[in-house]
């Protein structure tokens, strides 16, 4: 496998503003049915500018991320087609798409643009209608309604997953993969000597901890505690419920509650040269969050254990270039649309001890009120998965935690340093290190 040497930034870059919509099923609610991509992205962008105390005139450039723009929005160049919704008429911009890793690589691109010295202040945001598509949702070349949308069933969504793989290169496999669920769980059981029953409990507890976190988050898609769901179905405790046919196995290991809940949403942030903050964001009322460094890797998903290998490379890069040690991390986020990401990424990053992370999870130590909090917003299984926007929503949550502004779900102590491990697109991986500036 190739390795890359990452060089330090030419100047310090910080996140000074963040914004995020609720993650939701827009077509299910009369108040949100008919929302357009411009309105969703624009809401997040304007909230990020407001949070930074700036206006559109202070922004030099913007990045627009969407995992599947043509199928999801009906736009070919959505960065330009939605610019008027948030005051960016005439501003230069780029659209990019890295599937479920889009939001994390949105930070990478924006930070590079500022660290290079070309721009001083950049907006970067992502939007996705993961649960709906322009009406009529039949064929890409059918003329679409400007704002009316149809729900996308999981059956129809799964028909698109072969787009994520190199099906020509995979011909030697006789049957190229369409979606991988159990690889990381099986690998963990086999290499760490735990039983399938212990892995089952670990998977269920990851889902439970995510739901506990989401129950305290106003922006989360699903907030009902599992205790309430269990009681409604006649169970005395949540674990019996999660082990039951109400939470069926999807394969050898993963159950239904271990997989993403696809939905609609948008998020954005403002990155600025740290030295320019006093000049550009004179009204900033909170501490900036410095982007210390970002490591990236990419492995096409027909490669064995691709997520594990790419995460190892991305983490190696970012630790090497920044000099940060794993023991300095106070918070960890993982794009866990397949929930095992939550466990294996935290161990590879050194946030949880290798081979022991499952115990931390089963003991509840990775919930928002534990000593090793992970995905304090609820992750992809409870906060929801608006594919491109999910990573940026994690950036939003991470910055709010580092600023001490998360209210009831604020983590213990005074968090200073966090890692976000992005993953997606069969498969791009990013490891982002953030730290507060006092």
């Amino acid at each position: 496998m190739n390795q890359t040497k990452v060089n330090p930034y030419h100047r310090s870059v910080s996140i000074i503003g963040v914004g995020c919509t609720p993650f939701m099923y827009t077509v299910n609610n009369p108040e949100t049915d008919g929302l357009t991509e411009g309105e969703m992205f624009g809401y997040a962008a304007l909230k990020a500018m407001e949070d930074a105390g700036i206006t559109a005139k202070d922004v030099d450039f913007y990045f627009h991320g969407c995992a599947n723009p043509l199928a999801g929005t009906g736009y070919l160049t959505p960065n330009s087609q939605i610019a008027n919704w948030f005051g960016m008429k005439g501003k230069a911009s780029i659209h990019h798409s890295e599937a479920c890793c889009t939001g994390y690589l949105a930070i990478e691109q924006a930070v590079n643009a500022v660290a290079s010295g070309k721009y001083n202040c950049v907006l970067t945001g992502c939007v996705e209608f993961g649960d709906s598509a322009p009406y009529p949702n039949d064929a890409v070349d059918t003329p679409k309604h400007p704002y009316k949308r149809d729900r996308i069933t999981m059956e129809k969504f799964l028909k698109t997953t072969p787009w994520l793989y190199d099906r020509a290169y995979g011909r030697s496999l006789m049957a190229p993969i369409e979606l991988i669920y159990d690889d990381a769980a099986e690998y963990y059981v086999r290499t760490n000597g735990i039983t399938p029953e212990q892995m089952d409990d670990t998977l269920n507890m990851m889902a439970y901890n995510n739901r506990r976190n989401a129950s305290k988050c106003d922006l989360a898609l699903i907030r009902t505690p599992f205790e309430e769901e269990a009681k409604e179905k006649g169970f005395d405790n949540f674990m019996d419920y999660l082990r039951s046919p109400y939470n069926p196995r999807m394969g050898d290991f993963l159950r239904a509650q271990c997989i993403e809940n696809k939905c609609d949403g948008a998020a954005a942030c403002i990155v600025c040269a740290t030295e320019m903050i006093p000049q550009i964001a004179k009204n900033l009322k909170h501490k900036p969050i410095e982007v210390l460094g970002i490591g990236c890797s990419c492995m096409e998903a027909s490669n064995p254990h691709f997520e594990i290998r790419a995460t190892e490379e991305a983490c190696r890069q970012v630790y090497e270039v920044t000099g940060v040690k794993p023991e300095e991390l106070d918070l960890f986020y993982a794009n866990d649309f397949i929930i095992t990401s939550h466990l294996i990424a935290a161990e590879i990053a050194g946030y949880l001890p290798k081979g022991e992370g499952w115990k931390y999870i089963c003991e509840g130590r990775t919930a928002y009120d534990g000593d090793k909090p992970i995905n304090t917003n609820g992750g992809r299984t409870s906060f929801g998965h608006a594919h491109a926007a999910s990573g940026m929503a994690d950036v939003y949550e991470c910055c709010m935690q580092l600023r001490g502004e998360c209210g009831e779900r604020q983590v213990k102590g005074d968090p200073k340093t966090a890692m976000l491990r992005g993953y997606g697109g069969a498969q791009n991986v990013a490891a982002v290190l953030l730290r507060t500036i006092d």
Side-chain angles (χ1 to χ4, degrees):
M1 176 173 167
N2 294 310
Q3 291 190 333
T4 300
K5 176 178 172 53
V6 178
N7 296 312
Y9 296 132
H10 286 296
R11 59 175 177 171
S12 170
V13 180
S14 295
I15 298 171
I16 61 171
V18 291
C20 188
T21 70
F23 273 33
M24 54 190 158
Y25 301 125
T26 54
V27 298
N28 284 6
N29 186 335
E31 293 184 5
T32 56
D33 188 17
L35 283 177
T36 66
E37 182 183 5
E39 290 169 300
M40 295 276 280
F41 189 101
Y43 176 92
L46 290 169
K47 283 292 184 182
M49 287 186 273
E50 179 184 351
D51 188 48
I54 66 171
T55 69
K57 292 182 179 179
D58 300 308
V59 175
D60 301 322
F61 189 95
Y62 69 94
F63 290 91
H64 173 283
C66 182
N68 196 353
L70 184 56
T73 69
Y75 294 140
L76 279 173
T77 55
N79 55 303
S80 60
Q81 290 162 331
I82 68 169
N84 291 350
W85 288 94
F86 49 103
M88 292 294 167
K89 183 186 296 184
K91 297 279 187 179
S93 63
I94 287 176
H95 164 75
H96 61 102
S97 174
E98 297 79 30
C100 300
C101 199
T102 303
Y104 306 91
L105 294 177
I107 290 292
E108 156 87 343
Q109 296 188 68
V111 170
N112 287 346
V114 174
S116 70
K118 182 173 183 179
Y119 302 113
N120 288 323
C121 185
V122 167
L123 183 150
T124 184
C126 300
V127 61
E128 199 77 50
F129 285 95
D131 185 61
S132 60
Y135 172 85
N137 182 20
D138 48 10
V140 171
D141 59 352
T142 303
K144 305 298 182 185
H145 194 279
Y147 59 84
K148 189 175 179 181
R149 306 184 68 82
D150 281 337
R151 290 288 303 273
I152 302 175
T153 64
M154 182 57 78
E155 180 181 10
K156 179 168 279 192
F157 171 73
L158 289 176
K159 289 180 179 178
T160 70
T161 56
W163 301 352
L164 293 170
Y165 299 89
D166 182 349
R167 299 186 297 284
Y169 190 86
R171 285 168 61 192
S172 61
L173 301 175
M174 301 302 291
I177 0 185
E178 291 194 4
L179 203 60
I180 297 177
Y181 287 117
D182 278 332
D183 175 67
E186 186 279 331
Y187 183 88
Y188 193 92
V189 168
R190 176 163 46 84
T191 57
N192 291 292
I194 71 171
T195 67
E197 291 74 23
Q198 287 171 321
M199 175 52 73
D200 190 44
D201 285 348
T202 304
L203 294 169
N204 285 330
M205 281 302 297
M206 282 190 278
Y208 175 75
N209 292 335
N210 269 0
R211 185 63 60 87
R212 277 198 68 217
N213 296 345
S215 71
K216 309 291 184 183
C217 179
D218 291 341
L219 299 180
L221 177 71
I222 304 173
R223 300 181 59 199
T224 305
F226 277 130
E227 289 87 347
E228 291 184 22
E229 289 189 16
K231 184 177 180 181
E232 182 182 324
K233 299 299 183 183
F235 292 88
D236 292 331
N237 64 77
F238 72 87
M239 190 58 92
D240 286 344
Y241 167 66
L242 290 174
R243 292 172 180 150
S244 78
Y246 287 105
N247 184 28
R249 291 187 189 275
M250 310 290 284
D252 292 333
F253 290 99
L254 269 73
R255 295 178 180 267
Q257 294 290 354
C258 301
I259 306 297
E260 67 177 79
N261 278 293
K262 62 184 182 64
C263 61
D264 310 327
C269 74
I270 304 294
V271 301
C272 183
T274 305
E275 64 191 13
M276 299 295 294
I277 293 174
Q279 180 178 332
I280 293 172
K282 300 182 182 69
N283 300 317
L284 190 66
K285 294 182 172 58
H286 52 76
K287 49 193 174 185
I289 308 297
E290 186 177 13
V291 182
L292 298 180
I294 302 173
C296 297
S297 183
C298 184
M299 287 189 71
E300 197 275 330
S302 63
N303 292 287
H305 313 310
F306 58 91
E307 180 187 0
I308 295 167
R309 303 300 175 229
T311 300
E312 289 171 344
E313 170 62 9
C315 289
R316 182 198 65 78
Q317 289 177 19
V318 77
Y319 283 141
E320 183 179 282
V321 75
T322 63
V324 172
K325 304 298 182 186
E327 54 268 26
E328 297 178 55
L329 301 181
D330 302 307
L331 276 169
F332 191 83
Y333 294 85
N335 197 24
D336 58 350
F337 55 90
I338 297 172
I339 209 167
T340 39
S341 291
H342 183 131
L343 168 62
I344 63 166
E347 286 198 7
I348 291 169
Y351 184 68
L352 298 179
K354 181 169 173 45
E356 301 290 320
W358 68 277
K359 296 178 182 178
Y360 283 64
I361 289 164
C362 289
E363 293 166 2
R365 296 172 65 179
T366 57
Y368 74 91
D369 54 355
D371 62 320
K372 287 288 185 177
I374 296 176
N375 289 356
T376 53
N377 56 5
R380 306 291 79 85
T381 60
S382 288
F383 186 83
H385 194 20
H387 305 124
S390 296
M392 192 61 68
D394 284 353
V395 172
Y396 170 90
E397 170 72 10
C398 183
C399 289
M400 296 296 282
Q401 287 282 358
L402 292 175
R403 284 157 44 174
E405 298 179 9
C406 283
E408 193 177 356
R409 73 178 186 289
Q410 180 64 41
V411 301
K412 295 177 180 178
D414 183 20
K416 298 288 187 184
T417 307
M419 177 181 281
L420 300 98
R421 196 297 311 251
Y423 162 62
Q427 296 298 337
N428 297 280
V429 169
V432 182
L433 280 176
L434 304 182
R435 178 171 286 169
T436 56
I437 297 177
D438 293 321

